[in-house]
Amino acid sequence: MNNKLNILWTNADPVTAELMVMMYAHNSIRNSWWEDVQVIIWGAPTKLVAEDVHLQQLIADAREAGVKFSACEACADQLGVKSKLEELGIEVKFWGSPLTEIIKKNEHLITV
Protein backbone atom coordinates (compact mmCIF):
# COMPACT_ATOMS: atom_id res chain seq x y z
CA MET A 1 0.00 0.00 0.00
CA ASN A 2 1.27 3.44 -0.93
CA ASN A 3 1.33 5.41 2.31
CA LYS A 4 2.53 8.70 0.83
CA LEU A 5 0.35 11.78 0.49
CA ASN A 6 1.07 14.76 -1.75
CA ILE A 7 -0.77 18.02 -1.07
CA LEU A 8 -0.72 20.45 -3.98
CA TRP A 9 -1.27 23.84 -2.36
CA THR A 10 -2.37 26.54 -4.84
CA ASN A 11 -4.83 28.60 -2.76
CA ALA A 12 -3.33 31.69 -1.09
CA ASP A 13 -6.15 32.14 1.42
CA PRO A 14 -4.48 32.24 4.87
CA VAL A 15 -7.44 30.56 6.60
CA THR A 16 -7.34 27.65 4.15
CA ALA A 17 -3.57 27.50 4.58
CA GLU A 18 -3.81 27.20 8.35
CA LEU A 19 -7.03 25.23 8.83
CA MET A 20 -6.67 22.77 5.96
CA VAL A 21 -3.16 22.51 4.50
CA MET A 22 -1.13 22.90 7.70
CA MET A 23 -3.64 21.22 10.00
CA TYR A 24 -4.11 18.13 7.84
CA ALA A 25 -0.47 17.77 6.83
CA HIS A 26 0.81 18.09 10.40
CA ASN A 27 -1.89 15.87 11.93
CA SER A 28 -1.37 13.26 9.21
CA ILE A 29 2.19 12.73 10.40
CA ARG A 30 1.46 13.20 14.10
CA ASN A 31 -1.38 10.64 14.04
CA SER A 32 0.30 8.26 11.55
CA TRP A 33 -2.51 8.58 9.01
CA TRP A 34 0.22 8.73 6.35
CA GLU A 35 3.87 7.74 6.67
CA ASP A 36 5.08 10.38 4.23
CA VAL A 37 3.47 13.78 3.61
CA GLN A 38 4.73 16.28 1.07
CA VAL A 39 3.27 19.75 0.57
CA ILE A 40 3.91 21.21 -2.88
CA ILE A 41 3.62 25.01 -2.78
CA TRP A 42 2.59 26.28 -6.20
CA GLY A 43 1.50 29.71 -7.39
CA ALA A 44 0.30 32.45 -5.04
CA PRO A 45 1.05 30.55 -1.79
CA THR A 46 4.77 30.92 -2.51
CA LYS A 47 4.42 34.65 -1.83
CA LEU A 48 2.10 34.07 1.14
CA VAL A 49 4.64 31.76 2.78
CA ALA A 50 7.46 34.25 2.21
CA GLU A 51 5.50 37.06 3.89
CA ASP A 52 3.37 35.47 6.62
CA VAL A 53 5.34 34.94 9.85
CA HIS A 54 2.56 32.91 11.52
CA LEU A 55 2.41 30.55 8.54
CA GLN A 56 6.20 30.27 8.56
CA GLN A 57 6.01 29.04 12.17
CA LEU A 58 3.31 26.49 11.28
CA ILE A 59 5.51 25.23 8.45
CA ALA A 60 8.53 25.00 10.78
CA ASP A 61 6.46 23.00 13.28
CA ALA A 62 5.17 20.67 10.56
CA ARG A 63 8.67 20.22 9.14
CA GLU A 64 9.94 19.32 12.60
CA ALA A 65 7.23 16.65 12.79
CA GLY A 66 8.34 15.24 9.43
CA VAL A 67 6.21 16.96 6.78
CA LYS A 68 8.22 17.77 3.64
CA PHE A 69 7.74 21.11 1.85
CA SER A 70 8.75 21.99 -1.68
CA ALA A 71 7.91 25.06 -3.75
CA CYS A 72 7.62 25.70 -7.47
CA GLU A 73 10.81 27.39 -8.62
CA ALA A 74 9.19 29.14 -11.58
CA CYS A 75 6.56 30.64 -9.26
CA ALA A 76 9.11 31.63 -6.63
CA ASP A 77 11.30 33.28 -9.28
CA GLN A 78 8.41 35.19 -10.84
CA LEU A 79 7.17 36.37 -7.44
CA GLY A 80 10.67 37.25 -6.23
CA VAL A 81 10.61 34.98 -3.16
CA LYS A 82 12.97 32.10 -4.02
CA SER A 83 15.74 33.14 -1.63
CA LYS A 84 13.26 33.70 1.23
CA LEU A 85 11.76 30.22 0.77
CA GLU A 86 15.22 28.65 0.71
CA GLU A 87 16.11 30.65 3.84
CA LEU A 88 13.07 29.05 5.50
CA GLY A 89 14.42 25.61 4.60
CA ILE A 90 11.87 24.93 1.89
CA GLU A 91 13.10 23.05 -1.15
CA VAL A 92 12.61 25.06 -4.35
CA LYS A 93 12.52 23.19 -7.67
CA PHE A 94 10.72 23.05 -10.99
CA TRP A 95 7.59 20.99 -10.37
CA GLY A 96 6.03 20.50 -13.81
CA SER A 97 7.59 17.12 -14.57
CA PRO A 98 7.48 15.70 -11.00
CA LEU A 99 3.80 16.64 -10.62
CA THR A 100 3.04 15.00 -13.96
CA GLU A 101 4.71 11.81 -12.69
CA ILE A 102 2.69 11.90 -9.45
CA ILE A 103 -0.51 12.13 -11.48
CA LYS A 104 0.50 9.46 -14.03
CA LYS A 105 1.44 7.06 -11.22
CA ASN A 106 -1.94 7.64 -9.52
CA GLU A 107 -0.22 8.62 -6.28
CA HIS A 108 -2.36 10.10 -3.53
CA LEU A 109 -2.83 13.80 -4.31
CA ILE A 110 -5.00 16.41 -2.64
CA THR A 111 -5.27 19.74 -4.44
CA VAL A 112 -6.14 22.80 -2.36
Side-chain angles (χ1 to χ4, degrees):
M1 178 179 156
N2 180 349
N3 211 356
K4 177 179 182 179
L5 174 66
N6 297 285
I7 301 173
L8 176 60
W9 176 19
T10 64
N11 180 324
D13 176 64
V15 175
T16 300
E18 181 173 354
L19 298 182
M20 192 292 153
V21 177
M22 292 302 109
M23 184 184 293
Y24 188 70
H26 197 163
N27 284 328
S28 289
I29 292 292
R30 183 184 304 148
N31 296 311
S32 301
W33 298 334
W34 298 95
E35 289 177 14
D36 187 3
V37 176
Q38 174 173 241
V39 176
I40 304 162
I41 308 167
W42 194 311
T46 57
K47 187 168 174 57
L48 177 66
V49 168
E51 296 174 349
D52 188 316
V53 175
H54 175 65
L55 199 50
Q56 292 170 8
Q57 185 58 56
L58 294 176
I59 289 171
D61 294 344
R63 285 183 65 229
E64 188 173 309
V67 177
K68 297 176 185 93
F69 288 85
S70 184
C72 169
E73 185 167 346
C75 303
D77 283 341
Q78 290 181 35
L79 294 169
V81 297
K82 180 180 176 182
S83 61
K84 179 62 178 180
L85 296 177
E86 290 174 335
E87 179 184 307
L88 294 169
I90 296 171
E91 173 189 54
V92 180
K93 71 179 196 176
F94 293 105
W95 263 99
S97 181
L99 179 61
T100 301
E101 288 303 309
I102 287 169
I103 295 166
K104 285 183 175 184
K105 291 179 182 176
N106 290 316
E107 291 184 23
H108 300 289
L109 176 68
I110 295 174
T111 304
V112 180

